[in-house]
Amino acid sequence: MSELSRETDALLERGREGESLAPHDRARLKRALLAQVAGVSVVATTSTAAAWTTVAAKVIGVAVIVGSVGFGVATILPPRAPAVASHFSGEANAARSSPTKSATPAVPARAASLAIPTPAVSPPPSPPPASVANEMRSAARAPGTEPEVRAIPPAAAASSSLEEEARLLREADDALKAGEPDRALRVLEELAARFPESALAPERAAERVFALCMAGRQDDAREAAATFLRTQDVGPLAARVRASCGGASH
Amino acid sequence: MGDEPFPVTPGPTHHPLMFGAGSTPVAPRPLTVAAPGFEQIYDEHVEFVWRSIRRLGVDDGAVDDVLQLVFLVVHRRLSEFAGASSVRTWLFGILLRVVREHRRTLQRKSPHLRHGPKSDDELVQLPDLSPGANPEQALSRAEAAETINKLLGFLDDEKRAVFVMAELEQMTAVEIGEALGIDAKAVYSRLRAARTDFERAAAAMRRRTLGRSP
């Protein structure tokens, strides 16, 4: 039979919890992701600024993956399958024409789908089922950890402030791209006032440096850059701040 | 005449599917249950997604990018998550597809790259690590995890996914079947095959380690 040996079991037991994401990486990944979800181009996931072209390409890739994922979800949620397929093929097309915006939260779509209560397909069985691995092990062995079958507890509007914040950051970004630094600065000021302890605070601060540069306020930019670099001295964002008019080399 | 076969009383909290056949009406589930916040899902499951991506054999340098893509897909599909099945099942289904897509992209870029299970000849490249190799000093958790990841390289993609979900994440056969779109019977048979391959690699590693021990 294909039972695992005692030694292999011991190895699995020991290594199961052996990997963890360092808190620093966790925070960095989260900021990059939130910014990407918001469609804000000020952040780069990887260490080079050139990575943005690949990110844009990847977002197109997401649209393609979304199409194939749709099939899998459809098998789990049969009642909604047709709507799901058409909705996402449309979104995939939209993504192709505007890759950098394709990650924008689809608020109207979500609101629409919320209006139709989704029937529960397979409520978690009770009592909790044994994990298949333990189930297949010899009965003599003591049962392992309970499998985690968790439904997510209600989270009323957990992401609403985040979405609002992302929207404002994107607005500032758009203003900057349109060559309107003063408008960008006004929006960034509003952001700072409304969400002082934000997960996207570094992006906001960096964006402010760029806006001040564009507005020709070099002294202010230097000051803002110095403040930024005191807390964020590594990473792609720091590199871009250093390379700006507010950076030390200028 | 004129009677409607079914009363048409659409309302924001009414839906025919909300009532079980012949049973008393069930209170509508609050909508917030059906739509957990994106940030909440991220915070609670990023660790799971991250280690699963690694366990499925994505190169260290690409793990961050793949993780971002997984959560971008999650963000787009959030409204479809019914909250009825396990979040981890849903996430695993998504991440499997993203990892597959990632591999296809790599393959297109560098056609000479070979992806697939390592051959038995490559067993000699395994580290000298195994529990019992040095009884005085137990393998650290991180070393054990690293060894497991290396051994997983000897499984093909299908078996690897089942093994990761069953043995490392301790998911149920039903959950695994849902994530992969296969029935429980197929889950069992894949898991048996995966165990055979994993055990063979682990045994070879142990033989080698013991052979070198004084």
Side-chain angles (χ1 to χ4, degrees):
Chain A
M1 260 308 273
S2 57
E3 277 309 307
L4 295 174
S5 66
R6 198 175 43 79
E7 293 95 327
T8 302
D9 253 350
L11 175 71
L12 292 172
E13 189 63 46
R14 188 134 194 92
R16 206 169 273 141
E17 310 287 330
E19 288 202 300
S20 62
L21 187 53
H24 170 80
D25 284 336
R26 197 184 163 113
R28 177 180 57 81
L29 286 168
K30 182 169 177 178
R31 283 197 289 109
L33 176 71
L34 294 181
Q36 226 172 308
V37 161
V40 178
S41 62
V42 71
V43 196
T45 322
T46 45
S47 51
T48 55
W52 264 99
T53 50
T54 57
V55 169
K58 271 185 226 146
V59 173
I60 299 172
V62 169
V64 176
I65 295 165
V66 158
S68 54
V69 172
F71 183 70
V73 173
T75 59
I76 300 170
L77 305 172
R80 300 186 54 199
V84 165
S86 60
H87 173 63
F88 276 89
S89 58
E91 207 170 271
N93 290 337
R96 244 169 247 128
S97 58
S98 164
T100 50
K101 294 289 175 213
S102 61
T104 307
V107 179
R110 187 181 306 175
S113 65
L114 282 181
I116 306 159
T118 311
V121 178
S122 54
S126 52
S131 76
V132 64
N134 288 331
E135 202 183 305
M136 279 174 72
R137 286 205 165 79
S138 65
R141 201 167 305 164
T145 349
E146 292 275 293
E148 270 182 66
V149 186
R150 295 191 284 169
I152 291 202
S159 61
S160 62
S161 69
L162 175 73
E163 277 170 12
E164 171 64 359
E165 201 183 334
R167 189 187 63 75
L168 283 169
L169 197 50
R170 198 164 56 241
E171 201 177 311
D173 205 38
D174 289 346
L176 213 53
K177 281 188 195 132
E180 300 171 41
D182 291 338
R183 180 159 69 92
L185 286 167
R186 275 198 303 278
V187 176
L188 291 169
E189 228 164 82
E190 186 189 341
L191 254 176
R194 286 176 58 185
F195 308 102
E197 301 291 329
S198 157
L200 290 171
E203 281 67 33
R204 182 188 70 214
E207 191 88 335
R208 183 158 176 273
V209 175
F210 308 144
L212 288 168
C213 285
M214 190 182 272
R217 294 164 56 183
Q218 197 170 346
D219 290 346
D220 292 336
R222 270 209 195 99
E223 201 183 316
T227 309
F228 177 90
L229 293 169
R230 263 200 293 280
T231 52
Q232 310 272 328
D233 62 340
V234 288
L237 216 46
R240 290 189 56 194
V241 167
R242 257 188 221 103
S244 75
C245 84
S249 56
H250 292 264
Chain B
M1 291 295 272
D3 284 349
E4 298 279 350
F6 300 103
V8 184
T9 53
T13 57
H14 270 75
H15 191 278
L17 293 174
M18 297 302 293
F19 305 99
S23 65
T24 45
V26 183
R29 278 194 301 152
L31 295 180
T32 46
V33 173
F38 173 71
E39 210 177 344
Q40 187 190 355
I41 290 200
Y42 182 86
D43 287 342
E44 288 181 9
H45 300 282
V46 63
E47 194 94 26
F48 160 71
V49 172
W50 178 80
R51 66 174 180 253
S52 297
I53 290 170
R54 289 168 54 84
R55 284 168 173 170
L56 291 174
V58 172
D59 283 347
D60 284 357
V63 170
D64 287 5
D65 286 350
V66 171
L67 185 124
Q68 300 279 330
L69 282 171
V70 168
F71 279 103
L72 284 176
V73 175
V74 167
H75 184 265
R76 280 161 165 259
R77 307 201 74 87
L78 199 55
S79 61
E80 289 159 31
F81 177 68
S85 67
S86 150
V87 185
R88 299 202 313 161
T89 303
W90 184 65
L91 287 174
F92 209 98
I94 291 175
L95 76 88
L96 265 177
R97 286 173 178 83
V98 173
V99 167
R100 246 179 248 153
E101 184 61 29
H102 167 73
R103 290 226 171 89
R104 274 199 287 272
T105 309
L106 280 187
Q107 199 74 50
R108 271 197 298 274
K109 273 193 207 157
S110 337
H112 64 278
L113 271 184
R114 185 188 71 91
H115 172 75
K118 293 180 190 231
S119 70
D120 285 3
D121 300 344
E122 293 172 89
L123 281 171
V124 291
Q125 292 166 11
L126 282 169
D128 278 342
L129 291 170
S130 78
N134 185 350
E136 270 78 37
Q137 190 189 357
L139 208 58
S140 79
R141 288 187 181 280
E143 286 167 333
E146 194 196 327
T147 307
I148 290 169
N149 282 351
K150 292 224 163 72
L151 292 172
L152 286 170
F154 292 87
L155 273 56
D156 68 32
D157 286 349
E158 282 189 343
K159 290 181 206 142
R160 187 174 187 150
V162 170
F163 193 89
V164 167
M165 282 186 273
E167 297 291 349
L168 299 170
E169 295 300 336
Q170 301 188 298
M171 289 160 78
T172 67
V174 173
E175 287 179 303
I176 297 169
E178 245 181 53
L180 295 176
I182 58 178
D183 62 21
K185 208 177 139 200
V187 171
Y188 287 113
S189 89
R190 267 188 217 180
L191 180 55
R192 264 193 293 275
R195 282 177 161 185
T196 305
D197 289 359
F198 192 88
E199 185 60 52
R200 190 169 54 225
M205 180 192 74
R206 278 193 295 270
R207 273 198 303 280
R208 187 169 163 261
T209 309
L210 291 174
R212 288 197 176 180
S213 299

